[in-house]
Amino acid sequence: DCKFREDGEGMCSNLKYETTDSKLQPDVSTESNIKNRRSDQDLCLLTELDNKKMKTVYSNYVIKRIQILTFFDNKNLTHIYFDESTKLETIEAGAFKTCTNLSKCTILSNKLKTIGEFAFYKCTKLEEVKLNKCNKLGDSCFSGCTKLNKIEIHTHINNKDRTTPIGNYCFYNCNVLKTVLINFSKVGHFAFMRSDTSSMLVLLESA
């Protein structure tokens, strides 16, 4: 059920969030409409909650999908954290596109399958991405993240049975990227174009 508190926490009982406006309070009269438009397995754009004021996204149980363009162009978002109990499976296309103040993304779900195309496109302050698991990185999903210096998919390290295809232009113009700890079997066209591969630590698939 969707429940709101005066302090602005508790979006649909499992999502916690912070906003830049402490006085922001959703109109509870729209609660029934929200229930009709979403389930607890979706984290989707809710205009009633003024998504563009959200600073931190963190959750812990049943959210399975972050829909297309959910946080697109949110200039206030700085951190993303999903803990080990999260059942998150999919981050859809453009979900965090041009969140230009996002600096860190940690997703410890062991069920994450896909990060869609352009999901983190031009998140120009994003410095570090840590994933527990991910089966596919979509086209251009981190393209234009000009401050990204490290990405790690933890459970894939030294495990040749867990590999991640890297999409076309995935890390295009990530020009300070130094550490890529991903056990991958396929790299798309121009995946590391305009990135400084000369000093990059890359984990290749085990033979």
Side-chain angles (χ1 to χ4, degrees):
D1 291 341
C2 296
K3 297 179 181 178
F4 307 110
R5 299 201 322 240
E6 289 185 356
D7 59 5
E9 297 213 356
M11 191 160 98
C12 285
S13 74
N14 54 34
L15 175 70
K16 299 179 181 179
Y17 66 98
E18 297 175 3
T19 74
T20 55
D21 184 356
S22 61
K23 295 181 180 179
L24 178 67
Q25 295 185 21
D27 181 0
V28 295
S29 66
T30 64
E31 183 174 347
S32 60
N33 293 331
I34 294 172
K35 289 181 181 179
N36 292 334
R37 294 212 320 270
R38 64 167 290 172
S39 72
D40 278 346
Q41 293 183 350
D42 289 337
L43 171 54
C44 56
L45 180 62
L46 296 176
T47 56
E48 294 90 343
L49 295 173
D50 198 349
N51 170 61
K52 292 189 183 299
K53 292 181 181 287
M54 294 173 66
K55 295 192 299 183
T56 305
V57 177
Y58 57 107
S59 181
N60 53 12
Y61 350 94
V62 300
I63 293 172
K64 291 187 177 181
R65 178 173 56 145
I66 299 178
Q67 291 186 337
I68 184 171
L69 298 176
T70 297
F71 296 99
F72 168 64
D73 208 33
N74 181 333
K75 304 303 184 186
N76 294 304
L77 187 66
T78 60
H79 292 87
I80 300 168
Y81 181 81
F82 285 79
D83 68 22
E84 295 89 340
S85 64
T86 305
K87 296 180 180 180
L88 184 65
E89 296 179 356
T90 305
I91 298 174
E92 293 187 355
F96 297 97
K97 183 179 178 181
T98 60
C99 290
T100 52
N101 285 305
L102 178 64
S103 62
K104 189 172 183 179
C105 174
T106 301
I107 301 175
L108 302 181
S109 169
N110 62 8
K111 297 183 180 295
L112 186 63
K113 297 176 182 178
T114 303
I115 297 179
E117 60 185 15
F118 296 99
F120 293 90
Y121 177 72
K122 286 193 175 180
C123 291
T124 51
K125 289 187 179 179
L126 183 62
E127 297 181 358
E128 182 176 339
V129 176
K130 183 176 182 180
L131 309 173
N132 193 42
K133 175 186 176 182
C134 185
N135 294 342
K136 181 181 178 181
L137 298 178
D139 294 349
S140 299
C141 65
F142 292 102
S143 178
C145 293
T146 52
K147 289 191 176 181
L148 182 65
N149 61 68
K150 181 178 181 180
I151 180 168
E152 173 183 343
I153 302 181
H154 181 71
T155 59
H156 292 208
I157 298 174
N158 296 324
N159 187 337
K160 66 180 181 179
D161 296 324
R162 293 183 176 179
T163 60
T164 302
I166 294 177
N168 301 328
Y169 296 95
C170 186
F171 297 104
Y172 178 82
N173 203 29
C174 294
N175 46 28
V176 298
L177 184 61
K178 301 297 182 186
T179 306
V180 180
L181 299 177
I182 302 174
N183 197 28
F184 56 84
S185 56
K186 179 181 178 181
V187 180
H189 296 297
F190 309 112
F192 292 96
M193 188 175 182
R194 294 191 179 177
S195 298
D196 183 11
T197 57
S198 62
S199 59
M200 190 180 295
L201 172 63
V202 179
L203 178 68
L204 298 171
E205 181 185 7
S206 303

Coordinates of all heavy atoms in Angstrom, one line a residue, residues 36-96:
N36 N -3.9 2.7 -8.4 CA -4.4 2.1 -9.6 C -3.4 2.2 -10.7 O -3.5 1.4 -11.7 CB -5.6 2.9 -10.1 CG -6.8 2.7 -9.2 OD1 -6.9 1.7 -8.5 ND2 -7.7 3.7 -9.1
R37 N -2.4 3.0 -10.6 CA -1.4 3.2 -11.7 C -0.1 2.4 -11.5 O 0.7 2.3 -12.4 CB -1.1 4.7 -11.8 CG -2.2 5.6 -12.3 CD -1.7 6.7 -13.1 NE -0.5 7.3 -12.6 CZ -0.5 8.3 -11.7 NH1 -1.6 8.8 -11.2 NH2 0.7 8.8 -11.3
R38 N 0.1 1.9 -10.3 CA 1.4 1.2 -10.1 C 1.3 0.1 -9.1 O 0.3 0.0 -8.3 CB 2.4 2.2 -9.5 CG 2.1 2.8 -8.2 CD 3.3 3.5 -7.6 NE 4.3 2.6 -7.2 CZ 5.5 2.9 -6.8 NH1 5.9 4.2 -6.8 NH2 6.4 2.0 -6.5
S39 N 2.2 -0.8 -9.1 CA 2.3 -1.9 -8.2 C 3.6 -1.7 -7.3 O 4.4 -0.9 -7.7 CB 2.4 -3.2 -8.9 OG 3.6 -3.4 -9.5
D40 N 3.7 -2.4 -6.3 CA 4.9 -2.3 -5.5 C 6.2 -2.9 -6.2 O 7.3 -2.8 -5.7 CB 4.7 -3.0 -4.1 CG 4.0 -2.1 -3.1 OD1 3.9 -0.9 -3.4 OD2 3.5 -2.7 -2.1
Q41 N 6.0 -3.5 -7.3 CA 7.1 -4.1 -8.1 C 7.6 -3.1 -9.1 O 8.6 -3.3 -9.8 CB 6.7 -5.4 -8.8 CG 6.4 -6.5 -7.8 CD 6.1 -7.8 -8.4 OE1 5.9 -7.9 -9.6 NE2 6.0 -8.8 -7.7
D42 N 7.0 -1.9 -9.2 CA 7.5 -0.9 -10.1 C 7.8 0.4 -9.3 O 7.1 0.8 -8.4 CB 6.4 -0.5 -11.1 CG 6.1 -1.6 -12.1 OD1 7.0 -2.4 -12.3 OD2 5.0 -1.6 -12.7
L43 N 8.9 1.0 -9.7 CA 9.3 2.3 -9.2 C 9.1 3.2 -10.4 O 10.0 3.2 -11.3 CB 10.7 2.3 -8.7 CG 11.3 3.7 -8.3 CD1 10.4 4.4 -7.4 CD2 12.7 3.5 -7.7
C44 N 8.1 3.9 -10.5 CA 7.8 4.7 -11.7 C 7.6 6.2 -11.4 O 7.6 6.6 -10.2 CB 6.6 4.2 -12.5 SG 5.1 4.1 -11.4
L45 N 7.6 7.0 -12.4 CA 7.5 8.4 -12.2 C 6.1 8.8 -11.6 O 5.1 8.5 -12.2 CB 7.7 9.1 -13.6 CG 7.6 10.7 -13.6 CD1 8.7 11.3 -12.7 CD2 7.7 11.2 -15.0
L46 N 6.1 9.4 -10.5 CA 4.9 9.9 -9.8 C 4.9 11.4 -9.7 O 5.7 11.9 -8.9 CB 4.8 9.2 -8.5 CG 4.6 7.7 -8.4 CD1 4.6 7.2 -7.0 CD2 3.4 7.3 -9.2
T47 N 4.2 12.1 -10.5 CA 4.2 13.5 -10.4 C 3.7 14.1 -9.1 O 4.1 15.1 -8.6 CB 3.4 14.2 -11.5 OG1 2.0 13.6 -11.4 CG2 3.9 13.8 -12.9
E48 N 2.9 13.3 -8.4 CA 2.4 13.7 -7.1 C 3.5 13.8 -6.1 O 3.4 14.5 -5.1 CB 1.3 12.7 -6.6 CG 0.1 12.7 -7.4 CD 0.1 11.7 -8.5 OE1 1.2 11.2 -8.8 OE2 -0.9 11.3 -9.0
L49 N 4.6 13.1 -6.3 CA 5.7 13.1 -5.3 C 6.8 14.0 -5.8 O 7.9 14.0 -5.1 CB 6.2 11.6 -5.1 CG 5.2 10.7 -4.5 CD1 5.7 9.3 -4.5 CD2 4.9 11.1 -3.1
D50 N 6.6 14.7 -6.9 CA 7.6 15.6 -7.4 C 9.0 15.0 -7.5 O 9.9 15.3 -6.7 CB 7.7 16.9 -6.5 CG 8.4 18.0 -7.3 OD1 8.9 17.8 -8.3 OD2 8.3 19.1 -6.8
N51 N 9.1 14.0 -8.4 CA 10.3 13.2 -8.5 C 11.6 14.0 -8.7 O 12.6 13.7 -8.2 CB 10.1 12.3 -9.8 CG 11.4 11.6 -10.2 OD1 11.9 10.8 -9.4 ND2 11.9 11.9 -11.4
K52 N 11.5 15.2 -9.3 CA 12.7 16.0 -9.6 C 13.3 16.6 -8.3 O 14.4 17.2 -8.4 CB 12.5 17.0 -10.6 CG 12.2 16.4 -12.0 CD 12.2 17.5 -13.1 CE 11.8 16.8 -14.4 NZ 12.9 15.8 -14.9
K53 N 12.6 16.5 -7.2 CA 13.2 17.0 -5.9 C 13.9 15.9 -5.1 O 14.5 16.2 -4.1 CB 12.1 17.6 -5.0 CG 11.5 18.9 -5.6 CD 10.4 19.5 -4.7 CE 9.8 20.8 -5.2 NZ 10.8 21.9 -5.2
M54 N 13.8 14.7 -5.6 CA 14.5 13.6 -4.8 C 16.0 13.7 -4.9 O 16.6 13.9 -5.9 CB 14.0 12.2 -5.4 CG 12.5 12.0 -5.2 SD 11.9 10.5 -6.0 CE 12.8 9.3 -5.0
K55 N 16.6 13.5 -3.7 CA 18.1 13.6 -3.6 C 18.7 12.2 -3.5 O 19.8 12.0 -4.0 CB 18.5 14.4 -2.4 CG 18.1 15.8 -2.5 CD 18.8 16.6 -1.4 CE 18.4 16.2 0.0 NZ 19.0 17.0 1.1
T56 N 18.0 11.2 -2.8 CA 18.6 9.9 -2.6 C 17.5 8.9 -2.9 O 16.4 9.0 -2.5 CB 19.1 9.8 -1.1 OG1 20.0 10.8 -0.8 CG2 19.7 8.4 -0.9
V57 N 17.9 7.8 -3.6 CA 17.0 6.7 -3.8 C 17.6 5.5 -3.1 O 18.8 5.1 -3.4 CB 16.8 6.4 -5.3 CG1 15.9 5.2 -5.5 CG2 16.3 7.6 -6.0
Y58 N 16.9 4.9 -2.2 CA 17.4 3.7 -1.6 C 16.2 2.8 -1.2 O 15.1 3.3 -0.8 CB 18.3 3.9 -0.4 CG 17.8 4.7 0.7 CD1 17.4 4.1 1.9 CD2 17.7 6.1 0.6 CE1 16.9 4.9 3.0 CE2 17.2 6.9 1.7 CZ 16.8 6.3 2.8 OH 16.4 7.0 3.9
S59 N 16.3 1.5 -1.3 CA 15.2 0.6 -1.1 C 15.7 -0.7 -0.7 O 16.9 -1.0 -0.8 CB 14.4 0.5 -2.4 OG 13.3 -0.3 -2.2
N60 N 14.8 -1.5 -0.2 CA 15.3 -2.8 0.3 C 14.4 -4.0 0.1 O 14.8 -5.1 0.3 CB 15.6 -2.8 1.8 CG 14.4 -2.3 2.6 OD1 13.3 -2.1 2.1 ND2 14.6 -1.9 3.8
Y61 N 13.2 -4.0 -0.4 CA 12.6 -5.3 -0.7 C 12.1 -5.6 -2.1 O 12.8 -6.2 -2.9 CB 11.5 -5.7 0.2 CG 11.2 -4.9 1.4 CD1 10.3 -3.9 1.4 CD2 11.9 -5.2 2.6 CE1 10.0 -3.2 2.5 CE2 11.6 -4.5 3.7 CZ 10.6 -3.5 3.7 OH 10.3 -2.8 4.8
V62 N 10.9 -5.2 -2.4 CA 10.3 -5.9 -3.5 C 10.3 -5.1 -4.9 O 9.8 -5.7 -5.9 CB 8.8 -6.1 -3.2 CG1 8.6 -7.0 -2.0 CG2 8.0 -4.8 -3.0
I63 N 10.9 -4.0 -5.0 CA 11.0 -3.3 -6.2 C 11.8 -4.1 -7.2 O 12.9 -4.5 -7.0 CB 11.6 -1.9 -6.1 CG1 10.7 -1.0 -5.3 CG2 11.9 -1.3 -7.4 CD1 11.2 0.3 -4.9
K64 N 11.2 -4.4 -8.4 CA 11.9 -5.2 -9.4 C 12.3 -4.5 -10.6 O 13.1 -4.9 -11.4 CB 10.9 -6.4 -9.8 CG 10.7 -7.4 -8.7 CD 9.9 -8.6 -9.3 CE 9.8 -9.7 -8.2 NZ 9.1 -10.9 -8.8
R65 N 11.7 -3.3 -10.8 CA 12.0 -2.6 -12.0 C 11.9 -1.1 -11.8 O 11.1 -0.6 -11.1 CB 10.9 -3.0 -13.1 CG 11.0 -2.3 -14.4 CD 10.0 -2.8 -15.4 NE 8.7 -2.8 -14.9 CZ 7.6 -2.5 -15.7 NH1 7.8 -2.4 -17.0 NH2 6.4 -2.5 -15.2
I66 N 12.9 -0.4 -12.4 CA 12.9 1.1 -12.4 C 12.6 1.4 -13.9 O 13.3 1.1 -14.8 CB 14.2 1.7 -12.0 CG1 14.5 1.3 -10.5 CG2 14.2 3.2 -12.1 CD1 15.8 1.8 -10.0
Q67 N 11.4 2.0 -14.1 CA 10.9 2.2 -15.5 C 11.7 3.2 -16.3 O 12.4 4.0 -15.7 CB 9.4 2.5 -15.4 CG 8.6 1.4 -14.9 CD 7.1 1.7 -15.0 OE1 6.7 2.8 -15.1 NE2 6.3 0.7 -15.1
I68 N 11.4 3.2 -17.6 CA 12.0 4.1 -18.5 C 11.8 5.6 -18.1 O 10.8 6.0 -17.7 CB 11.4 3.9 -19.9 CG1 12.2 4.7 -21.0 CG2 9.9 4.0 -20.0 CD1 11.8 4.4 -22.4
L69 N 13.0 6.3 -18.1 CA 13.0 7.7 -17.8 C 12.4 8.1 -16.4 O 12.1 9.3 -16.2 CB 12.2 8.5 -18.9 CG 12.7 8.4 -20.3 CD1 11.8 9.1 -21.3 CD2 14.2 8.9 -20.4
T70 N 12.5 7.2 -15.5 CA 11.9 7.5 -14.1 C 12.5 8.7 -13.5 O 11.8 9.6 -13.0 CB 12.1 6.3 -13.2 OG1 11.4 5.2 -13.7 CG2 11.6 6.6 -11.8
F71 N 13.8 8.8 -13.5 CA 14.5 10.0 -12.8 C 15.2 10.9 -13.9 O 16.1 11.6 -13.5 CB 15.5 9.4 -11.8 CG 14.9 8.7 -10.7 CD1 14.8 7.3 -10.7 CD2 14.3 9.4 -9.6 CE1 14.2 6.6 -9.6 CE2 13.7 8.7 -8.6 CZ 13.7 7.3 -8.6
F72 N 14.8 10.8 -15.1 CA 15.4 11.6 -16.2 C 15.6 13.1 -15.8 O 14.6 13.7 -15.3 CB 14.6 11.5 -17.4 CG 14.9 12.4 -18.5 CD1 16.2 12.4 -19.1 CD2 14.0 13.4 -18.9 CE1 16.5 13.3 -20.1 CE2 14.3 14.3 -19.9 CZ 15.6 14.3 -20.5
D73 N 16.8 13.6 -15.9 CA 17.1 15.0 -15.7 C 16.8 15.5 -14.3 O 16.5 16.7 -14.1 CB 16.3 15.8 -16.7 CG 17.0 17.1 -17.1 OD1 18.2 17.1 -17.1 OD2 16.3 18.1 -17.4
N74 N 16.9 14.6 -13.3 CA 16.8 15.0 -11.9 C 18.1 15.6 -11.5 O 19.1 14.9 -11.3 CB 16.4 13.8 -11.1 CG 16.2 14.2 -9.6 OD1 16.8 15.2 -9.1 ND2 15.5 13.4 -8.9
K75 N 18.1 16.9 -11.3 CA 19.4 17.6 -11.0 C 19.7 17.6 -9.5 O 20.8 18.0 -9.1 CB 19.3 19.1 -11.5 CG 19.0 19.3 -12.9 CD 20.0 18.6 -13.8 CE 19.7 18.9 -15.3 NZ 20.6 18.1 -16.2
N76 N 18.8 17.1 -8.7 CA 19.0 17.0 -7.3 C 19.5 15.6 -6.8 O 20.1 15.5 -5.7 CB 17.7 17.3 -6.5 CG 17.3 18.8 -6.7 OD1 18.1 19.7 -6.5 ND2 16.1 19.0 -7.3
L77 N 19.3 14.6 -7.6 CA 19.7 13.3 -7.2 C 21.2 13.1 -7.1 O 21.9 13.5 -8.0 CB 19.1 12.3 -8.2 CG 19.3 10.8 -7.8 CD1 18.5 10.4 -6.6 CD2 18.9 9.9 -9.0
T78 N 21.7 12.6 -5.9 CA 23.1 12.5 -5.7 C 23.6 11.1 -5.4 O 24.7 10.7 -5.7 CB 23.6 13.4 -4.5 OG1 22.9 13.0 -3.3 CG2 23.3 14.8 -4.8
H79 N 22.7 10.2 -4.9 CA 23.1 8.9 -4.5 C 22.0 7.8 -4.8 O 20.8 8.2 -4.7 CB 23.4 8.8 -3.0 CG 24.7 9.5 -2.6 ND1 24.6 10.8 -2.3 CD2 26.0 9.1 -2.5 CE1 25.9 11.2 -2.0 NE2 26.7 10.2 -2.1
I80 N 22.4 6.6 -5.2 CA 21.5 5.5 -5.4 C 22.1 4.4 -4.6 O 23.3 4.0 -4.7 CB 21.4 5.1 -6.8 CG1 20.9 6.2 -7.7 CG2 20.5 3.8 -7.0 CD1 21.1 6.0 -9.2
Y81 N 21.3 3.8 -3.7 CA 21.7 2.6 -2.9 C 20.6 1.6 -2.8 O 19.5 1.9 -2.3 CB 22.2 3.0 -1.5 CG 22.7 1.9 -0.7 CD1 24.0 1.4 -0.9 CD2 21.9 1.2 0.2 CE1 24.4 0.3 -0.1 CE2 22.3 0.2 1.0 CZ 23.6 -0.3 0.8 OH 24.1 -1.4 1.5
F82 N 20.8 0.4 -3.3 CA 19.9 -0.7 -3.1 C 20.7 -1.8 -2.4 O 21.7 -2.3 -2.8 CB 19.4 -1.3 -4.4 CG 18.4 -0.4 -5.0 CD1 18.7 0.8 -5.7 CD2 17.0 -0.7 -5.0 CE1 17.8 1.6 -6.3 CE2 16.0 0.1 -5.5 CZ 16.4 1.3 -6.2
D83 N 20.2 -2.3 -1.2 CA 20.9 -3.3 -0.4 C 20.8 -4.7 -0.9 O 20.1 -5.0 -1.9 CB 20.6 -3.1 1.1 CG 19.2 -3.5 1.4 OD1 18.6 -4.3 0.7 OD2 18.7 -3.1 2.5
E84 N 21.4 -5.6 -0.1 CA 21.5 -7.0 -0.6 C 20.1 -7.7 -0.7 O 19.9 -8.7 -1.4 CB 22.3 -7.8 0.4 CG 23.8 -7.4 0.4 CD 24.1 -6.3 1.4 OE1 23.1 -5.6 1.9 OE2 25.3 -6.2 1.8
S85 N 19.1 -7.2 0.1 CA 17.8 -7.9 0.1 C 16.9 -7.4 -1.1 O 15.8 -8.0 -1.3 CB 17.1 -7.6 1.4 OG 16.8 -6.2 1.5
T86 N 17.4 -6.5 -1.8 CA 16.6 -5.9 -2.9 C 16.4 -7.0 -4.0 O 17.3 -7.8 -4.3 CB 17.3 -4.7 -3.5 OG1 17.6 -3.8 -2.5 CG2 16.5 -4.1 -4.6
K87 N 15.2 -7.0 -4.6 CA 14.9 -7.9 -5.7 C 15.0 -7.2 -7.1 O 14.4 -7.7 -8.1 CB 13.5 -8.5 -5.5 CG 13.5 -9.4 -4.2 CD 12.1 -10.0 -4.1 CE 12.0 -10.8 -2.8 NZ 10.7 -11.4 -2.6
L88 N 15.6 -6.1 -7.2 CA 15.7 -5.3 -8.4 C 16.3 -6.1 -9.5 O 17.4 -6.7 -9.4 CB 16.6 -4.0 -8.2 CG 16.6 -3.1 -9.4 CD1 15.3 -2.4 -9.6 CD2 17.7 -2.0 -9.1
E89 N 15.5 -6.2 -10.6 CA 16.0 -7.0 -11.8 C 16.3 -6.1 -13.0 O 17.2 -6.5 -13.8 CB 14.9 -7.9 -12.2 CG 14.5 -9.0 -11.2 CD 13.4 -9.9 -11.6 OE1 12.8 -9.7 -12.7 OE2 13.1 -10.9 -10.8
T90 N 15.7 -5.0 -13.2 CA 15.9 -4.2 -14.4 C 15.9 -2.7 -14.1 O 15.0 -2.2 -13.4 CB 14.7 -4.5 -15.4 OG1 14.6 -5.9 -15.6 CG2 14.9 -3.8 -16.7
I91 N 16.8 -2.1 -14.7 CA 16.9 -0.6 -14.8 C 16.6 -0.3 -16.3 O 17.5 -0.6 -17.1 CB 18.2 0.0 -14.3 CG1 18.4 -0.4 -12.8 CG2 18.2 1.5 -14.5 CD1 19.7 0.1 -12.3
E92 N 15.5 0.3 -16.6 CA 15.1 0.5 -18.0 C 15.8 1.7 -18.6 O 16.5 2.5 -18.0 CB 13.6 0.6 -18.1 CG 12.9 -0.7 -17.8 CD 11.4 -0.7 -18.0 OE1 10.9 0.4 -18.4 OE2 10.8 -1.7 -17.8
A93 N 15.6 1.8 -19.9 CA 16.3 2.9 -20.7 C 16.1 4.3 -20.2 O 15.0 4.7 -19.8 CB 15.8 2.8 -22.2
G94 N 17.2 5.0 -20.1 CA 17.2 6.4 -19.7 C 16.7 6.6 -18.2 O 16.4 7.8 -17.9
A95 N 16.7 5.6 -17.4 CA 16.1 5.8 -16.1 C 16.7 6.9 -15.2 O 16.1 7.6 -14.5 CB 16.2 4.5 -15.3
F96 N 18.0 7.0 -15.4 CA 18.8 8.1 -14.6 C 19.5 9.0 -15.6 O 20.5 9.7 -15.2 CB 19.8 7.5 -13.7 CG 19.1 6.6 -12.6 CD1 19.0 5.3 -12.7 CD2 18.6 7.2 -11.5 CE1 18.4 4.5 -11.7 CE2 18.0 6.5 -10.5 CZ 17.9 5.1 -10.6

